[in-house]
Amino acid sequence: MSLLFAITRRDLLLARRRRVEALLPLGFFIVAAGLFPIGVGPEPQTLRQIAPGVVWVCALLAAMLSVTQMFASDHQDGSLEQMLLAPQPLLTVVLGKVLAHWLSSGVPLVLATPVIGVQFGMGAQAIAILALTLLLGTPVLSLLGAVGAALTLGLRSGAALVFLLVLPLTIPALIFGTGAVVAVEGGQSAQAHLSLLGALLIATALAAPWATAAALRISLD
């Protein structure tokens, strides 16, 4: 646990020093989602219908902007190789870096969700469910993004490959997240969608760190 917190704290400090890069996903999320009401028009019913999908797609793309840098800087300065040679398990290092990425990129997206929801004219209950789905879904994006970042580590076109590898895997989270909000707006219960999203988070948390650790070893061999 001490190693986990040390890796997380280290990456958060590095993100704080690179504030422009750290705030880029949040800025993209707010600007991209905020442009849709302008482009689609001021019709409230139309905005409420497209809001869940728009917010989730923008959050997904925003998370992918920073996920390629999860291991890149450590790989460039050689510290990632030292982590692999350390006696501590690599799985703990991976979990620490994923946690730091989620805290610096995913949590700000969740906190900005109410502002975006107000722009789309969503009700308070729908905004709350949307924020809850992103709270459950953004860790999935970070975990899956870590796998893609590890597989493409050191490649010239790694960022493009991460998008191609990770985006298809995030479709279930997108479906369950938007489905929960649509169900609430239709007067139905969102429990089923939230349960499926939580199950997806548990399954990803159990499998993705092992796959990321194996991909890192392969990339550095």
Side-chain angles (χ1 to χ4, degrees):
M1 294 300 296
S2 61
L3 176 62
L4 175 66
F5 291 132
I7 295 294
T8 303
R9 181 176 179 273
R10 169 184 176 273
D11 281 14
L12 289 176
L13 289 175
L14 292 176
R16 183 180 178 182
R17 295 175 183 177
R18 299 192 294 262
R19 295 182 180 179
V20 175
E21 296 180 7
L23 293 177
L24 180 61
L26 178 60
F28 173 85
F29 175 69
I30 294 175
V31 172
L35 288 176
F36 275 88
I38 300 175
V40 174
E43 180 62 33
Q45 185 64 25
T46 302
L47 293 178
R48 283 194 295 268
Q49 288 178 350
I50 68 172
V54 168
V55 173
W56 254 95
V57 170
C58 292
L60 193 157
L61 296 177
M64 293 300 102
L65 287 177
S66 59
V67 77
T68 55
Q69 300 300 318
M70 191 179 299
F71 305 106
S73 59
D74 292 333
H75 179 252
Q76 293 173 357
D77 60 20
S79 58
L80 185 59
E81 296 182 0
Q82 298 300 319
M83 293 179 186
L84 265 69
L85 296 174
Q88 291 81 8
L90 180 60
L91 183 65
T92 306
V93 175
V94 171
L95 289 174
K97 297 187 77 64
V98 171
L99 179 59
H101 177 268
W102 178 69
L103 290 174
S104 60
S105 299
V107 173
L109 301 184
V110 178
L111 297 177
T113 300
V115 178
I116 304 299
V118 171
Q119 291 181 349
F120 282 87
M122 300 175 64
Q125 185 179 7
I127 292 176
I129 294 297
L130 180 59
L132 180 58
T133 59
L134 286 176
L135 184 62
L136 295 173
T138 47
V140 176
L141 303 182
S142 296
L143 288 164
L144 294 177
V147 179
L151 288 172
T152 59
L153 188 64
L155 300 180
R156 293 182 179 179
S157 56
L161 291 176
V162 167
F163 273 87
L164 295 176
L165 290 173
V166 176
L167 286 182
L169 301 177
T170 61
I171 292 177
L174 177 64
I175 294 174
F176 299 146
T178 56
V181 183
V182 172
V184 169
E185 291 183 338
Q188 301 175 358
S189 175
Q191 184 63 39
H193 296 88
L194 294 176
S195 299
L196 290 172
L197 192 58
L200 179 62
L201 173 59
I202 294 173
T204 307
L206 292 176
W210 295 96
T212 303
L216 287 175
R217 291 190 178 95
I218 293 174
S219 298
L220 295 177
D221 283 343

